[in-house]
Amino acid sequence: MSTTERPRILVVGGGYVGLYAARRILKKMRYGEATVTVVDPRSYMTYQPFLPETAAGSISPRHVVVPLRRVLPGAEVLTGRVVDIDQDRKVATVEPLVGESYELPFDYLVMALGAVSRTFPIPGLAENGIGMKGVEEAIGLRNHVLEQLDKADSTTDEEIRRKALTFVFVGGGFAGAETIGEVEDMARDAAKYYPNVKREDMRFILVDAADKILPEVGPQLGKWGLEHLKERGIEVYLQTSMTSCVDKHVVLANGLEVDASTIVWTAGVKPNPALAKFGLPLGPRGHVDTAPTLQVRGTDYIWAAGDNAQIPDLAAGEGAWCPPNAQHALRQAKVLGDNVVSGMRGFPQQDYKHANKGAVAGLGLHKGVAMIVFGKAKIKVKGRLAWYMHRGYHGMAVPTWNRKIRVFADWTLGMFLKREVVSLGAIENPREEFYEAARPAPAPAAVPEQPKAAAEKAGAA
């Protein structure tokens, strides 16, 4: 046991799995049975499927995040990072936002660190790329795109205009296709308010190394999505990659070169690299290796789920792994929570098994694709109906009724009010104007005496 008066269940990560697992544990536990501690660098959980709509201004950024302390009132929420785990001593080292690191004993451990953007050593990517894993990036992308329209509308330099109005998106999965669809929609709307900018002046480019986009919804709907994006004037280059973007000069493997003010990187994710520091068994791609019970193999007090875990997909057959998506994460978190409580009480664990129910994707206002699975039948839907299904599913999946109501309110208001197209890029440096006003003014330079004035002064003498 740890040095605490009651057992501690340490949840590392406050994302989708961490939040739902902690809620489930708190719900199933008896009062005072254990202490639940959640550690995350952010004090909120982000519902990532809504990031494209946040970037497009369809949903308020505050409504896609869930404050951990508010929804986990029975838990201890620490804002910081777990930087080391001593399994022999059952002690985690926590690095808080400020101050010295400290040790935190635990009895049971839940790994829910999630995933980070999968990047490659492409010259210029780190300096110029914009990701789409957090609400901060979605807000930044929206402000950045609208700022480019401001620039293009205000200049007469054609080279600056062309660069400002060129937008490159790398990655054709859910994140990439949905983001370019939503952002193109927003830019098309916004252009109505700029006298010197038209949609025809803009250039949207989607790049993917695969031979198709939206593989999650199947080849038929993926092909429809591809044709739909092309009909909207979006250039799509498949089976190619970006080789360089130094100084925002984008070079593709197919030979295309273009100057682009906006480079968005959504080419997949990888498990959080911090997992490699904790001495846990990892799979070939860096995921924590777990049994069907979500217990980390070789342990009886550590569980893992979500994007950072390699979980056998019992419904798909031998050798299959659960894909990293919201429908699996939600259900895994519930089973994980139940198993932690069962393990604490010495009861048997249950296996996680869930058959895929399909996938939905939005490609902008009133545009989407959906594949719904009923038994062995697959129902494929596209267009406006699929878009309603996309919003309905994710609107109900976002955690807490507070957030559900706020999101549906945003959508309802959007039916009657025009989209906001103002850039608030200054929020990224909120103190800049104050700093300029507050810093001491430089001393005035001495004015040299004029020759005529000097002669008059000498005559007077």
Side-chain angles (χ1 to χ4, degrees):
M1 287 291 180
S2 69
T3 57
T4 56
E5 295 180 0
R6 52 188 180 183
R8 171 177 274 122
I9 302 168
L10 177 60
V11 180
V12 183
Y16 209 91
V17 169
L19 170 66
Y20 267 108
R23 289 184 76 190
R24 187 74 170 188
I25 293 168
L26 291 168
K27 180 180 178 181
K28 294 289 184 177
M29 276 193 333
R30 294 185 293 268
Y31 177 77
E33 188 174 0
T35 298
V36 177
T37 302
V38 180
V39 181
D40 194 273
R42 295 180 174 87
S43 60
Y44 54 84
M45 168 266 187
T46 302
Y47 189 69
Q48 293 181 355
F50 279 156
L51 292 182
E53 288 201 56
T54 302
S58 298
I59 302 176
S60 168
R62 296 188 308 275
H63 300 164
V64 302
V65 296
V66 182
L68 296 177
R69 288 180 174 85
R70 180 170 180 175
V71 299
L72 299 173
E76 179 184 36
V77 178
L78 304 178
T79 305
R81 299 178 185 274
V82 172
V83 295
D84 187 46
I85 293 176
D86 187 331
Q87 294 186 46
D88 294 331
R89 297 168 52 217
K90 288 191 176 181
V91 169
T93 302
V94 177
E95 186 179 88
L97 286 181
V98 293
E100 297 293 326
S101 300
Y102 57 88
E103 291 190 339
L104 187 70
F106 64 84
D107 299 277
Y108 306 96
L109 183 63
V110 175
M111 299 303 304
L113 282 173
V116 300
S117 294
R118 182 185 62 191
T119 58
F120 302 100
I122 298 173
L125 178 59
E127 295 80 8
N128 302 311
I130 301 173
M132 275 295 285
K133 284 291 292 177
V135 68
E136 304 87 355
E137 292 171 318
I139 298 170
L141 175 60
R142 170 180 168 76
N143 290 331
H144 174 80
V145 169
L146 292 174
E147 192 175 87
Q148 302 316 303
L149 301 189
D150 290 339
K151 290 180 180 178
D153 187 63
S154 307
T155 184
T156 56
D157 188 314
E158 278 303 313
E159 186 176 342
I160 293 176
R161 273 176 54 86
R162 196 161 42 245
K163 184 174 182 178
L165 296 177
T166 301
F167 309 93
V168 176
F169 292 71
V170 183
F174 268 162
E178 288 188 308
T179 302
I180 196 171
E182 293 285 354
V183 170
E184 190 274 340
D185 224 16
M186 177 190 71
R188 183 188 297 269
D189 258 1
K192 300 172 185 176
Y193 304 99
Y194 291 89
N196 300 319
V197 176
K198 299 180 177 61
R199 172 60 182 91
E200 293 75 24
D201 301 329
M202 305 178 203
R203 187 176 184 184
F204 282 85
I205 300 172
L206 178 63
V207 181
D208 197 282
D211 60 352
K212 56 183 175 292
I213 67 169
L214 293 170
E216 300 91 342
V217 296
Q220 185 178 340
L221 288 177
K223 183 178 179 181
W224 182 88
L226 174 63
E227 295 303 322
H228 170 76
L229 293 179
K230 288 182 176 179
E231 287 172 6
R232 289 164 58 180
I234 298 173
E235 301 173 40
V236 183
Y237 298 100
L238 301 178
Q239 294 181 294
T240 192
S241 57
M242 183 173 71
T243 59
S244 174
C245 59
V246 175
D247 296 329
K248 297 193 174 183
H249 179 72
V250 175
V251 180
L252 302 185
N254 62 1
L256 177 69
E257 296 190 27
V258 62
D259 289 324
S261 64
T262 307
I263 303 165
V264 182
W265 181 269
T266 60
V269 297
K270 63 181 180 181
N272 195 312
L275 294 168
K277 305 175 184 177
F278 300 151
L280 301 170
L282 303 180
R285 294 182 298 167
H287 300 79
V288 179
D289 190 15
T290 68
T293 59
L294 307 181
Q295 285 180 302
V296 175
R297 294 190 186 276
T299 74
D300 59 359
Y301 64 95
I302 307 177
W303 292 260
D307 293 356
N308 72 175
Q310 175 181 278
I311 301 168
D313 191 344
L314 300 182
E318 188 175 351
W321 308 104
C322 294
N325 56 36
Q327 64 172 293
H328 276 290
L330 171 60
R331 292 166 175 83
Q332 288 169 5
K334 291 180 178 179
V335 173
L336 187 153
D338 291 345
N339 281 351
V340 170
V341 176
S342 296
M344 184 169 56
R345 296 173 181 171
F347 297 155
Q349 306 277 299
Q350 66 177 20
D351 287 346
Y352 170 75
K353 183 177 181 180
H354 169 67
N356 181 34
K357 300 297 183 184
V360 291
L363 299 174
L365 204 60
H366 304 146
K367 300 170 280 283
V369 291
M371 180 189 65
I372 310 301
V373 179
F374 286 106
K376 294 184 178 180
K378 294 182 179 179
I379 300 175
K380 301 178 179 64
V381 186
K382 54 184 182 288
R384 184 182 287 260
L385 178 57
W387 177 76
Y388 282 127
M389 296 168 73
H390 158 76
R391 281 198 162 183
Y393 172 78
H394 285 298
M396 293 307 297
V398 66
T400 79
W401 278 102
N402 180 303
R403 287 303 182 265
K404 297 182 203 297
I405 293 170
R406 291 178 184 273
V407 166
F408 278 107
D410 284 343
W411 287 337
T412 303
L413 290 172
M415 295 169 60
F416 304 102
L417 304 176
K418 292 183 179 180
R419 191 199 304 256
E420 291 287 349
V421 291
V422 61
S423 168
L424 296 177
I427 66 174
E428 295 174 19
N429 297 290
R431 294 190 63 254
E432 185 173 358
E433 186 173 345
F434 178 81
Y435 172 75
E436 292 295 332
R439 69 176 179 170
V447 180
E449 195 171 20
Q450 298 299 317
K452 183 179 179 181
E456 290 175 349
K457 185 183 295 185

